Amino acid sequence: MSEPEMRPKAEKLDAADELAGMRAQFVLDDTVYLDGNSLGALPRSVPGRVEDVVRRQWGSLRIRSWDESGWWTAPERIGDRIAPLVGAAPGQIVVGDSTSVNVFKAVVGAVRLADGGSEGRSGRDEVLVDATTFPTDGYIAASAARLTGCTLRPVTPDEVPDALSERTAAVLLNHVDYRTGRLHDLPSLTAAIHEVGAISVWDLCHSAGALPVGLDEHGVDLAVGCTYKYLNGGPGSPAYLYVRETHQPRFDSPLPGWNSHADPFGMTPDYTPAPGALRGRVGTPDILSMLALEAALEVWDDVSINAVRTKSLALTDFFLECVESYVPEGTVESVTPSPHTERGSQVALRCTDAGNVMRRLIDRGVIGDFREPDVLRFGFTPLYVGFGDVERAARVLGEMF
Amino acid sequence: MSEPEMRPKAEKLDAADELAGMRAQFVLDDTVYLDGNSLGALPRSVPGRVEDVVRRQWGSLRIRSWDESGWWTAPERIGDRIAPLVGAAPGQIVVGDSTSVNVFKAVVGAVRLADGGSEGRSGRDEVLVDATTFPTDGYIAASAARLTGCTLRPVTPDEVPDALSERTAAVLLNHVDYRTGRLHDLPSLTAAIHEVGAISVWDLCHSAGALPVGLDEHGVDLAVGCTYKYLNGGPGSPAYLYVRETHQPRFDSPLPGWNSHADPFGMTPDYTPAPGALRGRVGTPDILSMLALEAALEVWDDVSINAVRTKSLALTDFFLECVESYVPEGTVESVTPSPHTERGSQVALRCTDAGNVMRRLIDRGVIGDFREPDVLRFGFTPLYVGFGDVERAARVLGEMF
């Protein structure tokens, strides 16, 4: 098929799109923005809220805002707002710190949970980490392993079942691979990890807000994620930590800051951890960024994550179809799996000279990104990307060769 | 003396105040705000900047802003802006994460520096921590000690010289005590720490922006501080980490996130730390809060920290004088040292029923805060507090009894 066939098809798909109205809630322009998996677009609800936080809450109320504007309880309140998007009941997620810092809390916490209070005598001294992971997870897991006396063993997710043993303390995996867009099988991998008595830690950066995660349903132990991709929280907005309710009483954070104390204003020299998810908190929450995120999450009020997933798959299907139609055979190769069960919300295409191709695409108003050494990465945010965008992106891509 | 004497004195002091003009750069009202040591007032430069960051940099430029708006280099650029305020040459400070997280980096990093690469065979297995510290430092130091196989030993700063030994790896101290406002002797304590070959870590939360610190001059090894008190960065604004230049090549962070990698976008599985202060970075910087802080720091462009210190001491001197004049003898007792060499920029008064007294003071427009169990805490930010404010605060306090 070619342009005369694909354009009307895009129009038809857009006309039938239940989520089409959501686009109006974002600030967008006439480019095709396929980099929401790096930095989500600005929700219209954010600028006014941030202005209020700065001018009134900080400028006028000042310290009174810690109570009166709900600053103090923001980490757990916003955590509860994220919870339904990742299939978690309330009281298990706190927002704060970067993803890297939360990976550290989670991996050290997981090793300690697996150890079961035996002070290193459990024989569980191995941490498995996804060898294809976004690098920061690997670097931080190495540090967590070093500090807890464990060995770090990088394996591909496919190799995890065979690598698991009674030596395994914790396993850190990505739900969706940042480079290929491959969706890993969270339910079965979590079950395999549990079978040997180890603790699972899932990184949801590239899945939360794009597809259902089902943390509670699948028995995930610990999870982390960022909020600036499909959750549109803004550049470097705070990440989150999920600690399964049943693990909370024994969750032993390596970063026991005063915000995680049972009585933070008691200012006692002895540390007594707060009950529940709060023990994942560390220092004073970063209010400006955190309340911008809270405003950004309002766009989810009437959106079902299942509807988002349905559209996401339709968008990536249609993109692959358009690429096949517009792009000369043999010039690009998708490294994103075809089966829906193995695909996140992005499509990664390998091609020669990918860095230059992406620069030229951006010049033509199609915004994706380039990942070393040869990958064009296109992310599809169902809340604001339409099928017409998809058709245009593939058409412009075809003109590159 | 009484009102007829103190008011004209305040007017005279205000008239001679070189920094009086700075007040116009902040958003203030008709209250007397003596809680800038908890949350600094809003600088007028901030709201417009934040609006630009949200609407244009995020909303329009989106990911392009990582380069074009200088987002990526913000942690070290803003670190260099803080540097002169704490007596540091450029290239030694990065901004990011909370104070608690930076205390963790610093204490673990200090233990490793003290160990000198001997992998625990140096015999340095003790971390000293200020027993009177703001609790989070103690909690985090305990975690750092536990993870590095050290023993934590809480001592008062006075006891530090006697407690030091060839077993000491690191010493974590506060420059100014959060409760009493006592200024500790950073030069002589740092020298004593060095005499036994240990590493000093200073927490500058209550001194940076209120008095000269002289990090380089006094040979401080590592330091951390928050930016929302005397630096007016906003609620929960990011903290900073100072790593002395000579230590940077061996600084071994327990949080080696991808932002501290020598080639972060290489996305290599092996970790190679960046040179310089950058290795104190961790994850993606929190841009909204960080650029609000950058705007807030503009107020320091033409201010000398020595002038700030001179005014700070004049303010606290005058406050103590007014308290003596207005407050019935025997009702309050200052726990802040009288000698200038031992006083930060706050005055802490003990009195019966302090919680209630502070609530009534706040109702009367004098904003300080209460610290358990019996302390009224008044912070004096020389950039926006005047001598008339001081006189009014003491006068209203006198009417409480």
Side-chain angles (χ1 to χ4, degrees):
Chain A
M1 292 203 285
S2 62
E3 192 167 339
E5 287 99 30
M6 301 314 280
R7 286 190 103 156
K9 188 164 178 186
E11 280 165 29
K12 212 171 134 188
L13 286 163
D14 275 328
D17 175 11
E18 280 177 51
L19 294 175
M22 295 301 298
R23 183 180 165 93
Q25 296 197 33
F26 292 86
V27 175
L28 292 158
D29 50 30
D30 58 1
T31 61
V32 176
Y33 191 64
L34 302 181
D35 212 1
N37 54 336
S38 178
L39 175 64
L42 172 66
R44 291 194 186 279
S45 51
V46 169
R49 179 71 55 83
V50 171
E51 190 178 354
D52 182 62
V53 171
V54 171
R55 289 185 190 270
R56 187 181 60 86
Q57 297 184 12
W58 173 14
S60 299
L61 298 177
R62 290 187 291 261
I63 44 158
R64 286 167 53 191
S65 276
W66 283 108
D67 291 325
E68 291 177 28
S69 305
W71 287 357
W72 185 260
T73 52
E76 52 270 23
R77 181 177 72 241
I78 303 171
D80 280 348
R81 185 66 198 81
I82 291 171
L85 300 175
V86 291
Q92 299 177 104
I93 295 181
V94 283
V95 173
D97 305 308
S98 67
T99 307
S100 299
V101 169
N102 282 295
V103 168
F104 185 75
K105 295 178 209 170
V107 176
V108 173
V111 169
R112 290 173 175 174
L113 283 170
D115 184 53
S118 74
E119 300 290 331
R121 289 185 300 274
S122 68
R124 294 192 180 272
D125 61 357
E126 200 169 71
V127 174
L128 301 185
V129 65
D130 181 352
T132 59
T133 190
F134 185 75
T136 210
D137 292 36
Y139 308 154
I140 294 285
S143 173
R146 172 183 172 191
L147 285 165
T148 53
C150 288
T151 306
L152 185 74
R153 186 171 162 202
V155 289
T156 66
D158 289 343
E159 294 166 343
V160 165
D162 285 341
L164 289 164
S165 75
E166 70 280 4
R167 280 189 56 190
T168 315
V171 186
L172 170 62
L173 293 168
N174 296 279
H175 197 193
V176 171
D177 185 88
Y178 81 101
R179 213 176 62 90
T180 62
R182 181 177 184 145
L183 171 66
H184 295 298
D185 188 345
L186 180 146
S188 82
L189 284 164
T190 303
I193 292 164
H194 288 168
E195 220 160 277
V196 299
I199 301 289
S200 61
V201 182
W202 284 93
D203 180 333
L204 310 177
C205 284
H206 287 272
S207 64
L211 50 92
V213 178
L215 290 177
D216 286 354
E217 181 187 351
H218 303 304
V220 167
D221 302 288
L222 300 163
V224 303
C226 76
T227 61
Y228 45 76
K229 298 181 189 292
Y230 298 105
L231 299 180
N232 314 299
S237 56
Y240 56 90
L241 174 70
Y242 165 88
V243 180
R244 188 173 191 76
E245 193 177 10
T246 50
H247 288 318
Q248 288 170 357
R250 290 204 304 116
F251 180 71
D252 185 2
S253 172
L255 294 170
W258 74 296
N259 271 236
S260 69
H261 197 284
D263 179 18
F265 290 94
M267 308 264 166
T268 56
D270 293 325
Y271 180 72
T272 309
L278 272 70
R279 67 174 67 180
R281 289 179 61 162
V282 185
T284 304
D286 193 339
I287 293 303
L288 263 56
S289 298
M290 200 166 281
L291 300 191
L293 167 62
E294 187 171 35
L297 290 170
E298 286 176 7
V299 302
W300 295 94
D301 280 351
D302 303 309
V303 174
S304 116
I305 193 73
N306 290 314
V308 166
R309 175 61 171 164
T310 302
K311 181 175 172 187
S312 161
L313 287 170
L315 287 167
T316 50
D317 275 345
F318 187 56
F319 183 66
L320 289 166
E321 190 183 343
C322 289
V323 167
E324 206 178 315
S325 166
Y326 287 126
V327 181
E329 217 183 311
T331 49
V332 303
E333 177 203 0
S334 172
V335 294
T336 302
S338 298
H340 283 181
T341 51
E342 297 174 24
R343 194 195 301 162
S345 199
Q346 76 178 55
V347 171
L349 303 176
R350 288 176 63 188
C351 76
T352 345
D353 203 19
N356 262 322
V357 171
M358 185 49 73
R359 268 188 290 278
R360 287 162 57 218
L361 276 173
I362 291 170
D363 286 346
R364 295 280 308 276
V366 175
I367 321 292
D369 60 26
F370 162 66
R371 283 293 175 260
E372 292 283 1
D374 57 0
V375 166
L376 303 172
R377 202 173 67 146
F378 302 97
F380 298 85
T381 303
L383 296 186
Y384 54 75
V385 172
F387 295 89
D389 295 323
V390 167
E391 187 272 340
R392 180 176 148 200
R395 181 159 36 84
V396 175
L397 178 64
E399 292 164 18
M400 298 288 118
F401 302 99
Chain B
M1 292 203 285
S2 62
E3 191 167 340
E5 286 98 32
M6 302 315 279
R7 286 189 102 157
K9 188 163 180 185
E11 280 165 28
K12 214 172 133 187
L13 286 163
D14 275 330
D17 175 12
E18 280 177 51
L19 294 174
M22 295 301 298
R23 184 181 165 94
Q25 298 198 33
F26 292 86
V27 175
L28 292 159
D29 50 28
D30 58 1
T31 60
V32 176
Y33 191 64
L34 302 181
D35 212 1
N37 53 335
S38 177
L39 174 64
L42 172 65
R44 291 194 185 279
S45 51
V46 169
R49 179 72 55 84
V50 171
E51 190 177 356
D52 182 63
V53 171
V54 171
R55 290 186 191 268
R56 186 180 62 85
Q57 298 185 9
W58 173 14
S60 300
L61 298 176
R62 291 187 291 262
I63 45 157
R64 286 167 52 191
S65 276
W66 283 108
D67 291 325
E68 292 177 28
S69 305
W71 288 357
W72 185 261
T73 52
E76 51 271 22
R77 182 178 71 242
I78 303 173
D80 280 347
R81 184 64 198 82
I82 292 171
L85 300 175
V86 292
Q92 299 177 104
I93 295 181
V94 283
V95 173
D97 305 307
S98 66
T99 307
S100 299
V101 169
N102 282 296
V103 168
F104 185 74
K105 295 179 209 169
V107 176
V108 173
V111 169
R112 290 173 173 174
L113 283 170
D115 184 52
S118 74
E119 300 289 332
R121 289 186 301 274
S122 69
R124 295 194 180 271
D125 62 356
E126 200 169 70
V127 174
L128 302 185
V129 65
D130 181 352
T132 59
T133 190
F134 186 74
T136 210
D137 291 37
Y139 308 155
I140 295 285
S143 173
R146 173 183 173 191
L147 284 164
T148 53
C150 289
T151 305
L152 185 74
R153 185 170 161 202
V155 289
T156 66
D158 289 344
E159 294 166 342
V160 165
D162 285 341
L164 289 164
S165 74
E166 70 279 6
R167 280 189 57 191
T168 314
V171 185
L172 170 62
L173 293 168
N174 296 279
H175 197 192
V176 171
D177 185 88
Y178 81 101
R179 214 176 62 89
T180 62
R182 181 179 182 142
L183 170 66
H184 295 299
D185 187 347
L186 181 145
S188 82
L189 284 165
T190 303
I193 292 164
H194 288 168
E195 219 159 279
V196 298
I199 300 288
S200 61
V201 182
W202 285 93
D203 180 332
L204 311 177
C205 283
H206 287 272
S207 63
L211 50 93
V213 178
L215 290 177
D216 287 354
E217 180 187 350
H218 303 304
V220 167
D221 302 289
L222 300 164
V224 303
C226 76
T227 62
Y228 45 75
K229 299 182 189 291
Y230 298 105
L231 299 180
N232 313 300
S237 56
Y240 57 90
L241 174 70
Y242 165 89
V243 180
R244 188 172 191 76
E245 194 177 11
T246 51
H247 289 317
Q248 288 170 357
R250 291 204 304 118
F251 180 72
D252 185 1
S253 172
L255 294 170
W258 73 297
N259 271 236
S260 68
H261 197 284
D263 179 20
F265 290 95
M267 307 264 167
T268 56
D270 293 324
Y271 179 72
T272 310
L278 273 70
R279 66 174 66 181
R281 288 179 63 162
V282 185
T284 304
D286 193 338
I287 294 302
L288 263 56
S289 297
M290 201 167 281
L291 300 191
L293 166 63
E294 187 172 34
L297 290 170
E298 287 176 7
V299 302
W300 294 93
D301 279 351
D302 302 309
V303 173
S304 116
I305 194 72
N306 289 315
V308 166
R309 175 61 170 165
T310 303
K311 181 174 171 187
S312 162
L313 287 170
L315 287 167
T316 51
D317 274 345
F318 188 55
F319 183 66
L320 288 166
E321 189 184 344
C322 289
V323 166
E324 204 178 317
S325 166
Y326 287 126
V327 181
E329 216 183 312
T331 48
V332 303
E333 177 203 1
S334 171
V335 294
T336 302
S338 300
H340 284 181
T341 52
E342 296 174 24
R343 194 196 301 163
S345 198
Q346 75 178 56
V347 172
L349 303 176
R350 288 176 64 189
C351 76
T352 345
D353 204 21
N356 261 322
V357 170
M358 185 48 74
R359 267 188 291 280
R360 288 163 54 218
L361 276 173
I362 291 169
D363 286 344
R364 294 279 309 275
V366 175
I367 321 292
D369 59 26
F370 163 65
R371 283 294 174 261
E372 293 279 2
D374 57 0
V375 166
L376 303 172
R377 202 173 67 146
F378 301 96
F380 298 85
T381 303
L383 296 186
Y384 54 74
V385 172
F387 295 89
D389 295 322
V390 167
E391 187 272 342
R392 180 175 149 201
R395 182 159 35 87
V396 175
L397 177 63
E399 292 164 17
M400 297 287 120
F401 303 99

